[in-house]
């Protein structure tokens, strides 16, 4: 690090997973960016099935892409140098600097961590040398005693960067005082010295009721409470993991288009459905049991990291029978990425990339087959709609943006194709994409983010609404994601001691 000029730095760690670290990092990124600073997020190691393709075709955690957008900067692999994507049988794909490096069990991954640490520090140092401030996110809890000797994401990062740490506890789960005090007690002395502020997150009610507790925390830990963040439900930020998955509004009078998304065990890239969750006139449900399947107007099979395993689960739950019956009765069915692969006739895995089996039978709703390879396709993609039937009626020649993350090649598409890919990671191409059946009511595609394209989303929902004899209401103003990040920044400013935070982060004036 000698000779390199670094900007400011601050780190957010939590007492547990889902304490609100990712959201707070995004909020701070937007606050600092609004103040004219050059900002970058960083998370050394992320375990998530929700990933994103960077402009140059690397793969990072989706939450770091969200944080980059909040920071008004382009996502880069340096922002998440290590991504773990869980697979079946307690193994994970290890993605390093945007590219798959190995598939490892927890014990095998621990042996890898020593070689990953230099990549983590190099990525962080690179970001710090290029930006006024880097906002770092930890993972889980820094007080997991059994994991501390292999740490490459929490206090070891804070010590490397000499970063002040904000420790966040989730009061909505209960026991927040024990969470914060217990975490501080379990840290080593040099680690405790890095914690400069405590934050209580997801509070509901009158903050003055916490005054005596906040005083206690300050006395007991020697660290000030720098904010009490209220619970919010009106700021639309993509969720980091499936713990936060919820559907849309209940359909009390049967006038909403009922969309059933199959909640696969290894569901991935579920923010594909955020535009449906917030769309007036749509009821979005996540379904994992036949008893909850109901009579939907549209069925979606989402992405997954373990296509064959989740296809086996689908059959074990008898959801395959419900999906096939619904399609026979005229219900449209969409498969995205792994869901697309499942819709075909056969899946081949000669290199055992997906499972221990070399072949599996698909649902047979599309005349396609998929072969898994060792190479992963990760692209930001622009496409043009070429079909004009069924789910895509009226969309011919519509331009759309999306991204691809998959390790399978699917062939046997029915003509005319639904899409033509016109560019991948800014390189001009002319490639077929996706498949539809003759009616245009079964659609398979590798395009993540399809529903984020308004014209395509409206066409799909109107097709589903016509089956029920419903009139889809006007969508209202399109979601302005930048405005949502601004709301998040206002939430942080109103409830955090930002003067103190700027000072400990040593930010330029």
């Amino acid at each position: 690090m000698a000779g390199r000029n670094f900007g400011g730095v601050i780190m957010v760690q939590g007492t547990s997973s889902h304490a609100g670290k990712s959201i707070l990092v995004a909020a701070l990124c937007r606050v600092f960016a609004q103040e004219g600073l050059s900002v970058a997020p960083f998370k050394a190691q992320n375990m998530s099935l929700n990933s994103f393709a960077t402009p140059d075709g690397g793969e990072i955690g989706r939450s770091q892409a969200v944080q980059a957008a909040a920071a008004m900067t382009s996502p880069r692999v340096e922002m998440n140098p290590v991504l773990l994507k869980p697979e079946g049988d307690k193994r994970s794909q290890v993605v390093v600097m945007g590219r798959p490096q190995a598939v490892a069990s927890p014990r095998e991954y621990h042996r890898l961590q020593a070689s990953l640490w230099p990549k983590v520090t190099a990525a962080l140092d690179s970001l710090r040398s290029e930006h006024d401030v880097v906002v770092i996110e930890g993972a889980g809890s820094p007080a997991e005693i059994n994991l501390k000797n292999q740490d490459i994401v929490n206090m070891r990062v804070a010590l490397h960067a000499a970063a002040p740490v904000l420790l966040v506890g989730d009061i909505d789960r209960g026991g927040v005082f024990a969470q914060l005090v217990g975490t501080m007690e379990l840290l080593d002395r040099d680690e405790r010295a890095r914690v400069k502020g405590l934050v209580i997150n997801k509070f509901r009610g009158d903050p003055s009721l916490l005054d005596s507790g906040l005083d206690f925390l300050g006395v007991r830990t020697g660290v000030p409470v720098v904010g009490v963040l209220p619970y919010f439900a009106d700021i639309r930020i993509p969720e980091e993991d499936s713990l936060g998955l919820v559907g849309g509004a209940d359909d009390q009078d049967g006038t909403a288009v009922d969309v059933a998304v199959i909640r696969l065990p290894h569901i991935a890239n579920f923010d594909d459905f955020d535009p449906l969750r917030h769309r007036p006139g749509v009821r979005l449900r996540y379904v994992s049991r036949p008893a909850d399947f109901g009579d939907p107007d549209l069925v979606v099979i989402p992405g997954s990291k373990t296509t064959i395993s989740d296809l086996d689960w689908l059959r074990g739950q008898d959801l395959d029978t419900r999906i096939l019956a619904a399609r026979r009765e005229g219900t449209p069915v969409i498969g995205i990425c792994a869901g697309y692969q499942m819709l075909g006739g056969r899946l081949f895995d000669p290199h055992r990339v997906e499972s221990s089996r070399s072949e599996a039978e698909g649902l047979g709703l599309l005349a396609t087959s998929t072969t898994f390879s060792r190479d992963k396709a990760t692209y930001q993609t622009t496409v043009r709609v070429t079909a004009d039937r069924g789910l895509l009626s009226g969309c011919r020649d519509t331009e759309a943006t999306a991204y691809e993350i998959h390790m399978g090649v699917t062939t046997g598409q029915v003509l005319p194709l639904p899409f033509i890919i016109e560019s991948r990671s800014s390189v001009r191409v002319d490639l077929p994409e996706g498949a539809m059946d003759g009616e245009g009511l079964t659609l398979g595609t590798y395009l993540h983010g399809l529903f984020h394209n308004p014209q395509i989303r409206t066409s799909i929902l109107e097709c589903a609404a016509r089956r029920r004899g419903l009139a889809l209401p006007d969508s209202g103003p399109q979601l302005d994601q930048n405005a949502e990040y601004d709301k998040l920044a206002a939430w942080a400013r109103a409830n955090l001691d930002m003067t103190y935070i700027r000072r400990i982060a040593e930010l330029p004036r």
Side-chain angles (χ1 to χ4, degrees):
M1 299 197 322
R4 301 181 73 171
N5 294 317
F6 290 144
V9 62
I10 191 160
M11 186 170 191
V12 176
Q13 297 190 29
T15 58
S16 66
S17 296
H18 211 58
K21 298 183 293 291
S22 297
I23 288 292
L24 182 51
V25 168
L28 292 174
C29 283
R30 178 50 62 106
V31 168
F32 297 143
Q34 287 176 335
E35 295 173 354
L37 299 176
S38 170
V39 190
F42 178 81
K43 186 167 185 173
Q45 171 197 290
N46 195 352
M47 176 174 280
S48 178
L49 289 172
N50 232 21
S51 62
F52 187 76
T54 62
D56 61 355
E59 186 179 11
I60 62 173
R62 186 72 175 93
S63 59
Q64 278 63 66
V66 168
Q67 292 160 356
M72 304 183 194
T73 191
S74 183
R76 305 167 40 177
V77 295
E78 287 87 355
M79 295 173 180
N80 178 208
V82 181
L83 173 63
L84 303 179
K85 303 191 74 173
E87 297 183 352
D89 63 14
K90 300 179 181 179
R91 298 172 71 82
S92 293
Q93 183 183 68
V94 183
V95 179
V96 180
M97 296 301 290
R99 300 295 175 192
Q101 177 172 307
V103 175
S105 67
R107 192 172 298 278
E108 290 167 338
Y109 177 66
H110 286 323
R111 289 197 289 268
L112 278 175
Q113 284 176 303
S115 65
L116 296 177
W117 177 243
K119 299 180 186 298
V120 166
T121 57
L124 175 56
D125 292 349
S126 174
L127 291 175
R128 292 191 66 198
S129 69
E130 298 172 32
H131 295 275
D132 296 324
V133 57
V134 174
V135 186
I136 306 173
E137 180 184 348
S141 161
E144 303 291 351
I145 302 303
N146 58 313
L147 301 177
K148 284 185 67 173
N149 64 341
Q150 299 291 340
D151 176 34
I152 63 169
V153 66
N154 284 312
M155 280 299 173
R156 191 177 182 190
V157 173
L159 292 168
H160 169 80
V165 173
L166 300 179
L167 181 63
V168 184
D170 176 3
I171 196 170
D172 199 45
R173 293 184 174 187
V176 72
F177 300 105
Q179 294 172 34
L180 292 166
V181 172
T183 300
M184 291 292 289
E185 290 291 331
L186 291 173
L187 296 178
D188 296 336
R189 179 179 298 178
D190 58 344
E191 296 169 340
R192 282 197 298 272
R194 296 262 41 98
V195 180
K196 303 299 183 181
L198 306 179
V199 178
I200 292 177
N201 194 22
K202 305 181 189 177
F203 181 73
R204 306 173 192 251
D206 180 358
S208 66
L209 298 176
L210 285 176
D211 286 348
S212 61
L214 304 186
D215 293 340
F216 163 81
L217 284 174
V219 172
R220 179 62 183 262
T221 65
V223 177
V225 177
V226 298
V228 176
L229 296 169
Y231 188 95
F232 66 77
D234 59 341
I235 306 176
R236 301 177 184 180
I237 304 297
E239 290 284 352
E240 179 185 15
D241 58 48
S242 58
L243 288 173
L245 279 186
V246 293
D250 289 337
D251 180 18
Q252 298 294 339
D253 57 7
T255 60
V257 175
D258 184 22
V259 180
V261 177
I262 306 301
R263 186 166 181 165
L264 302 171
H266 300 92
I267 186 172
N269 298 85
F270 43 79
D271 58 316
D272 280 343
F273 312 113
D274 281 356
L276 303 182
R277 181 157 58 105
H278 302 302
R279 178 38 162 105
V282 174
R283 180 193 184 203
L284 180 68
R285 299 184 292 119
Y286 289 92
V287 174
S288 57
R289 302 182 305 162
D292 299 330
F293 190 84
D295 183 20
D297 304 309
L298 173 66
V299 177
V300 185
I301 308 176
S304 166
K305 182 63 188 71
T306 55
T307 304
I308 292 177
S309 172
D310 280 5
L311 180 57
D312 290 342
W313 171 88
L314 195 76
R315 289 196 166 100
Q317 296 294 313
D318 202 33
L319 283 167
D320 62 325
T321 302
R322 301 302 297 272
I323 294 169
L324 294 173
R327 182 64 196 89
R328 284 195 301 270
E329 293 166 6
T331 301
V333 176
I334 297 176
I336 298 176
C337 201
Y340 172 27
Q341 296 165 348
M342 294 180 192
L343 290 179
R346 306 296 294 178
L347 297 92
F348 301 99
D349 192 5
H351 304 294
R352 305 301 196 274
V353 171
E354 271 279 328
S355 73
S356 60
R357 306 209 310 271
S358 63
E359 189 173 343
E361 182 179 356
L363 297 178
L365 288 176
L366 291 174
T368 58
S369 62
T370 296
T371 301
F372 295 102
S373 68
R374 295 189 178 99
D375 298 324
K376 178 180 281 193
T378 54
Y379 304 105
Q380 288 192 2
T381 303
T382 60
V383 301
R384 179 170 50 86
V385 179
T386 53
D388 189 13
R389 66 188 192 277
L391 290 162
L392 297 177
S393 294
C395 287
R396 178 173 289 172
D397 291 328
T398 296
E399 301 286 336
T401 58
Y403 62 98
E404 302 173 65
I405 300 176
H406 55 93
M407 297 186 75
V409 176
T410 300
T411 57
Q413 293 94 333
V414 176
L415 296 174
L417 295 165
F419 307 103
I420 291 292
I421 299 176
E422 296 186 325
S423 74
R424 277 178 160 174
S425 298
S426 301
V427 177
R428 299 296 299 178
V429 296
D430 184 11
L431 298 171
E433 161 52 30
M436 295 182 84
D437 63 5
E439 294 179 274
L441 297 181
T442 304
L443 169 64
T445 178
Y446 280 116
L447 300 178
H448 291 293
L450 186 70
F451 289 110
H452 286 74
N453 294 275
Q455 187 171 346
I456 293 174
R457 178 175 68 245
T458 298
S459 174
I460 290 171
L461 292 174
E462 286 181 343
C463 177
R466 284 193 295 270
R467 173 182 178 267
R468 187 72 70 185
L470 300 173
L472 191 68
D474 185 77
S475 64
Q478 296 298 319
L479 178 67
D480 182 348
Q481 193 63 68
N482 256 323
E484 299 302 305
Y485 293 133
D486 288 343
K487 287 162 64 176
L488 191 66
W491 167 80
R493 280 197 183 93
N495 298 287
L496 293 173
D497 184 346
M498 289 304 307
T499 300
Y500 176 80
I501 290 172
R502 290 185 192 94
R503 178 166 59 81
I504 62 174
E506 298 182 356
L507 298 188
R509 292 184 180 274

